[in-house]
Amino acid sequence: MAAITLIEGVTRALAHEMERDERVIVLGEDVGVNGGVFRATAGLQQRFGDQRVQDTPLAEAMIAGLSVGMAAQGMRPVAEIQFEGFVYPAVDQIVNHAARLRTRTRGRLTCPMVLRVPYGGGIHAPEHHSDSPEAMFAHMPGIRVVIPSSPARAYGLLLAAIRSPDPVVFFEPKRIYRLQKQEVPDDGEALPLDVCYTLREGEDVTVVTWGAMTWETLKAADQLADDGISCEIIDVATISPLDHETILESVERTGRLCIVQEAPRSFGVASEIAAVVAEQALYSLRTPISRVTGYDTIMPLFRLETEYMPSVQRVVDGIRAALEE
Amino acid sequence: MAAITLIEGVTRALAHEMERDERVIVLGEDVGVNGGVFRATAGLQQRFGDQRVQDTPLAEAMIAGLSVGMAAQGMRPVAEIQFEGFVYPAVDQIVNHAARLRTRTRGRLTCPMVLRVPYGGGIHAPEHHSDSPEAMFAHMPGIRVVIPSSPARAYGLLLAAIRSPDPVVFFEPKRIYRLQKQEVPDDGEALPLDVCYTLREGEDVTVVTWGAMTWETLKAADQLADDGISCEIIDVATISPLDHETILESVERTGRLCIVQEAPRSFGVASEIAAVVAEQALYSLRTPISRVTGYDTIMPLFRLETEYMPSVQRVVDGIRAALEE
Amino acid sequence: METIADFEIQYSQFLDPDGRPSDTLPDFAQDSEQLIEMYRQMTLVRIFDGKAINLQRTGKLGTYASSLGHEASHVGIGAAMRPEDCLAPSYREYGAMLWRGVKMSEILLYWGGDERGSRFEHAPHDFPFCVPIATQCLHAAGAAMAYQLRGEPRCAVSINGDGGTSEGAFYEALNVAGAKKLPVVFVVINNKWAISVPLELQTASRTLAQKAVAAGIPGLQVDGNDVIAVRHWMERALERARRGEGPALIEAITYRLSDHTTADDASRYRKKEEVEAARAIEPLLRLRRYLVEQGLWDDAREEALRAECVERVDAAVESYINTPRAPVTDMFDYLFEKLPDHLVAQREMAQHYDRGGRH
Amino acid sequence: METIADFEIQYSQFLDPDGRPSDTLPDFAQDSEQLIEMYRQMTLVRIFDGKAINLQRTGKLGTYASSLGHEASHVGIGAAMRPEDCLAPSYREYGAMLWRGVKMSEILLYWGGDERGSRFEHAPHDFPFCVPIATQCLHAAGAAMAYQLRGEPRCAVSINGDGGTSEGAFYEALNVAGAKKLPVVFVVINNKWAISVPLELQTASRTLAQKAVAAGIPGLQVDGNDVIAVRHWMERALERARRGEGPALIEAITYRLSDHTTADDASRYRKKEEVEAARAIEPLLRLRRYLVEQGLWDDAREEALRAECVERVDAAVESYINTPRAPVTDMFDYLFEKLPDHLVAQREMAQHYDRGGRH
Ligand SMILES: Cc1ncc(C[n+]2csc(CCOP(=O)(O)OP(=O)(O)O)c2C)c(N)n1
Ligand SMILES: Cc1ncc(C[n+]2csc(CCOP(=O)(O)OP(=O)(O)O)c2C)c(N)n1
Ligand SMILES: [Mg+2]
Ligand SMILES: [Mg+2]
């Protein structure tokens, strides 16, 4: 069995579910013959035909609204938004409809759709191709926000997202699409959508992160291990609804918390995690919470993007800060 | 001098700036002859003519995009979005353009526009008319988010917003549009856009809130005062960029923090405030931070909206929670 | 210069304002049963509408959007659709919704601030009320895509107003429907006003039917006060869509005789004379004149019908008034299929306070 | 049934693919200076384009969107505009941008990942590159509104692609421009492809010019490989707009001879033959044939021009390559007019790490 990348994990999950469930439909810009600009849907149209894998006209509000309509009438659309910078026209359909169709109709109509959104910086992409807007969606009740950080989690979480009876915004960290290969059996096993994943156990400090930043965080932990510092690393993965338990249990044990996010610092996902801990585990905290984040500025074009995104060094420093009284 | 309401403060500020600066243009749906569905622009078209006060076709992305275009070419548009539930189609223009025009052009083009958005629940309005989406905008670098909570602050902050060389999303708490009358001289004095406003000084606990919830919070503080508990009440008002200092200084003094927000609990503005304190004033905290918020559910239609929004009792309980070890 | 494409927009009316045929009537209109049934429905809606406004005025209903004057457009749409078709309405098309099986008590619940108003017990696959203007056009297109994918002979219908034609979502829906030949019919109810904004300020387009040209789909304008025209052309468009020949746009010309909603005061922005002129060509009068002329209707029947309608409306009002507030836990229980863990505590808190809870 | 509105879409071409006049040439085309100036600019853009692709291939530039094949459309737009007008481009209209004063080195900086690429030293009021498809149409409408409000005789021009006509923002812009008679011209460069999506999947509309019908504004299709046609009709539309007669839509038919960007591989989704056929009718050849036929051009001049262009392009490349990375503080210093307090610490942190900082 050949090892696969994160993006191949996505493709494999799509193919698996399309095979298993004929209600599953893939749609989006360039997802057909072209197989998606990142090649996540490569080969699917050839295999499943141009009805089940449909190129759409260029309009994101339309892609989302069409998906809401299809989902409400019994299909399971999996739509691709080409880059996170183009998800904003779809926000209205997500907040005002996808997220609340079940609520608004008292369960009569539901919205089992997935919006796949490659996101984040670090691939030397053009303007508007490097944002991290997950917090905006996490704040909206009624949708799940999921972010895989490995080939296996991409496969397992995407299966779960497609099977979810409720809408999921599935952010794919494009920087690590092809970073790592892993053996991922095509066994159709979905992962749970309501737990955080502990990537490494440790004692001195809890480090919480997600998406591509798991990589910097793991490397930082390696460096700190050389100095005898033991980090527990949690990949949130299921951003919303957030699994409080795993995080609280860990912080109660380590007494220290560092949160690493690529998005701008203020009003992000890291803030919520900090708030939950400051509310529910304050007395366990031996040191102030430390956030390592992007700056509260516009993600710069790529000549400066490395300076924007938390580096391994910044994560190391941020974890050390959490260790200092 | 007759006392005026919050919404009259808005109207007065608009009129003042239109008089003073002919670049100021008011636009939106029904803002002309009709004077806005809430009457915030009442009388302006009569006074300034149908060029400077323009009804637009029904399209929020268009209203925002038109404003960006006008602002970039030397005007000072003040656009009204009828209700916060209809601001979502405008998000793309706000995030991808208004917020970053100065950054993208290295200061060559700027975007001095204001988007006025009545928001929040409690007025027995129809569906999609009662949300509190301020956190979504606060997370976007490059725009200011401002929320007045009194007639005087509506006047002074809106003047400041219109004069701001950068874009402002100005949320107006519709529930308190007509709750209170205050003498507000039409003196053209703008308020600062970078500080929080301390509504009441106190010693035992810092209570941070904004918008309509300032009212429940003040009432709760009155009740608690009867029990000898002294609350310091801060109206954030300038949500983003957030004034850390006022909040930190207060928490360092009181050692306790309760945050009250109408929006859903998770990933909201309250989370950021909690995070800042947990990061920068942890050792001052004598008790866990307490958040009193809307629930992480869709804002219900009005028969249940009172049950959704933090009541005075809930605020009292939340403040008491912050007082308990 | 060479002409490479040309387009015509047609207008159709069968009954003029005096109830006189202005064109050869379509087949269904030869069937008096069917005409009377539509008249009955239009009358019911109008009586319901008046009652709803009263309820609002007396504090028993929230803001309400009247359908006064739109009855022919709405009933014509409903009558043309099959039960298995799917309606994506906006917020005032009661004539169509009732025909589809939505209950009057549900409509009242909706405007009474209760989500159970969109429960639509007898219109199980129709979309709920839709307030965010024109967003429902995309839902109709999506529904049509579901039917197309499954090879089902079903159509979707969306309804929006003249104001709604300015929203990007409207055009995006027309365009994708054209590109994919989806079985969907888009109806624009042109009642001349979007709250206070008159059509001239909304668009420079002479007709709204011609918006179809942008999507390469057929567009037609009909007299929206003539229920026969609305129903006939809806049927034709639906048949065509069902045969796989793609979508169409129908503009129904009518007039909003009421305020925009009970929260609005239209006298602020439009002239009495304009409203009076529109009242003179309103839809019920016209069909009734025709029926009377044909010997199918008289004062006695009218009186009996009105009494029957009042009774039905009163029963619906009673059912509405007697519906107790939903439990506070409903806020949580319809959010996801299964309640997420962190909401369990919030749900309990809501219950606690609902019981008047204090610590 | 009665016809209540009708529309025609016209097509215009002055030079056929062989460079032979197919219609009476407009006045400006009688002036050989002007024709040669446009030919020079088209040649410059093409040479620039080839160089940029080389830079990308050798790792000296990021993803780059080629304008190969679009030169006539782009240069025709630029040549028709006045300096005080305002351009809202998308991302590949170098021919128009250069004409407006944008520097080649700025274009390279932009695709080299440097915000200074949108600094536009010599096109001070033009909008920057615009990647979010069709959003710039609204900026052009807004700019036009600013000029209209101030009574300035200026126009705005937006450019988007065939794919861009599917976005709601495109229609919303056309509609508001029509409703308010704004001095703006919308240009759609129909190059047949939106990345891998061919026009047939994008819309059922036979022409893109007819999208104007939805907004009640004039729409015209021109041969986008004929710089004379593009410039002529742009000038006419701009004059009309400047006179206060409102907006127009011009569709320029051309072909994207390159991959979508350097990150794309068009051979995956389109046939060689189609590309070859398009190459045969490309814009430079056509104008050159005409000029040669008129005795205005020959091989020697061609060679001299090419040498001159190569030199200019090389100078721009050198200036680009020698532009040092901007200071890390630029991230902060252009966010707001004045740096907010809480960003001071973040700015310092960025500087600290940029200096290789460790604690
Ligand atoms: C996206 C959006 N923007 C604004 C509103 C507020 N609003 C409600 S109805 C209305 C006017 C709608 O006019 P039209 O489409 O002509 O429908 P009508 O009310 O005449 O039936 C407006 C602006 C809304 N509901 N949704
Ligand atoms: C809103 C948005 N969605 C998606 C994209 C990704 N994208 C970049 S170019 C492009 C195709 C554009 O096609 P067209 O409008 O025909 O312009 P062309 O590239 O042919 O000049 C797409 C889908 C984008 N830039 N913006
Ligand atoms: Mg209307
Ligand atoms: Mg194209």
Side-chain angles (χ1 to χ4, degrees), chain A residues 250-319:
Chain A
S250 175
V251 173
E252 278 156 13
R253 213 162 7 79
T254 63
R256 296 177 173 95
L257 173 64
C258 174
I259 314 162
V260 184
Q261 89 182 1
E262 184 174 314
R265 183 172 194 75
S266 298
F267 307 95
V269 168
S271 315
E272 174 62 20
I273 294 167
V276 167
V277 170
E279 212 171 28
Q280 296 181 47
L282 188 90
Y283 297 129
S284 306
L285 280 177
R286 279 184 270 167
T287 53
I289 294 173
S290 156
R291 285 183 293 170
V292 181
T293 68
Y295 300 113
D296 281 327
T297 60
I298 303 302
M299 175 73 174
L301 289 188
F302 66 77
R303 262 180 111 176
L304 279 174
E305 70 178 340
T306 326
E307 281 65 34
Y308 178 89
M309 296 189 298
S311 60
V312 175
Q313 183 61 46
R314 278 176 65 195
V315 178
V316 165
D317 293 347
I319 296 174

Side-chain angles (χ1 to χ4, degrees), chain B residues 51 54-55 59 61-62 65-66 69-70 72-73 75 92-93 97 102-106 108-109 142 165-166 241, chain D residues 115 118-120 123-127 129 135 138-139 142-143 145-147 149-150 172 180 330 334-337:
Chain B
Q51 287 303 291
Q54 294 204 19
D55 278 326
M62 181 272 286
L66 212 60
M70 267 193 277
Q73 303 296 320
M75 305 305 287
D92 187 34
Q93 285 288 343
H97 292 297
R102 181 189 289 277
T103 291
R104 296 178 59 225
T105 63
R106 300 288 93 165
R108 180 172 60 87
L109 298 180
D166 292 301
Chain D
E115 282 81 358
S118 282
R119 184 62 189 78
F120 293 5
H125 53 261
D126 281 7
F127 286 91
F129 293 89
T135 53
L138 290 166
H139 305 159
M145 196 159 152
Y147 307 149
L149 280 161
R150 294 197 296 257
E172 292 184 359
K180 296 190 181 292
D330 274 15
Y334 293 106
L335 187 65
F336 292 111
E337 195 188 48

Side-chain angles (χ1 to χ4, degrees), chain C residues 59-72:
Chain C
K60 297 196 186 96
L61 196 68
T63 302
Y64 172 80
S66 164
S67 75
L68 188 71
H70 306 73
E71 297 87 351

Side-chain angles (χ1 to χ4, degrees), chain B residues 31 83 157 203 223:
Chain B
V31 299
F83 286 86
L157 290 171
E203 284 144 40
Q223 286 192 19

Side-chain angles (χ1 to χ4, degrees), chain B residues 29-30 58 60 82 86 89, chain C residues 70 91-92 131-133 160-164 167 191 193-195 256 260:
Chain B
E29 296 155 12
D30 305 289
L58 206 175
E60 289 74 14
Q82 214 156 70
F86 315 130
Chain C
H70 306 73
Y91 42 82
R92 66 165 104 247
V131 165
I133 302 288
N160 65 272
D162 43 297
E167 285 281 3
N191 65 6
W193 292 88
I195 309 186
R256 195 192 81 211
H260 171 66

